[in-house]
Amino acid sequence: MMEGLVVRVDVLEAIRSRRSARAFLDKDVSNEDVATLIDSARWAPSAGNIQPWELIIVKKEHVKRQLVDAAQQSFIIEAPVVIVVCANESRSSQGYGVRGKTLYCIQDTAAAIQNIHLTAFSLGLGTCWVGAFREEDVARVLKLPRGIRPVAIIPVGYPAESPRPRRRRPVNQIIHYETF
Ligand SMILES: Cc1cc2nc3c(=O)[nH]c(=O)nc-3n(C[C@H](O)[C@H](O)[C@H](O)COP(=O)(O)O)c2cc1C
């Protein structure tokens, strides 16, 4: 009972305290920590347990530089590791047709991405969900086969800044009882 309570508080604390990091220290991330991030992604829920995520781990400077170009976001280069999370549209469409391809595989992948962010936070690492990029350029740079769609570029490193929390919409603006 007590154990359950402790875990719940930790998760809430991570959810509330995580911030997007857009500047990183010149300090490596261990392979063990990268493995932990990848493992956390695997445990995300997915429609029909299809697990349509594909993760590309990028450490080479020249590949990172091309991702910077594709996203036009220079801070990506500062991160020692960049994880690009992709949705395997083919896997999801085999199970669920158009809904699988256009909706479930994005939802499943987003859940895996959020796991990575929260796990990184718990390890003292900073991350940012970079979603603004030219998809065709990322696909070309990473040699993604057809049906593999890049969803997020996640720079991972030790944060060099402590950003203030950004405003959240208050509960009374987002909640609707019974009907909209
Ligand atoms: C789908 C999505 C796309 C995003 N794209 C970018 C991006 O391209 N570049 C960036 O710096 N931040 C990006 N962000 C991060 C948001 O700006 C950030 O999460 C939001 O402002 C709240 O701040 P916080 O993460 O520090 O709480 C993205 C977040 C999401 C969920």
Side-chain angles (χ1 to χ4, degrees), residues 18-20 22 73 75 128-132 166 168:
R18 178 214 55 82
R19 295 278 71 79
S20 294
R22 298 185 179 88
Q73 302 192 51
F75 71 90
C128 185
W129 183 323
V130 174
R166 300 201 61 189
R168 259 46 181 183

Side-chain angles (χ1 to χ4, degrees), residues 4 10 20 22 42 49 72 88 99 113 135 151 178 180:
D10 281 346
S20 294
R22 298 185 179 88
R42 292 171 60 230
N49 199 27
Q72 297 288 296
N88 189 327
R99 196 168 173 80
I113 293 165
E135 278 192 39
V151 175
E178 318 307 338
F180 193 91

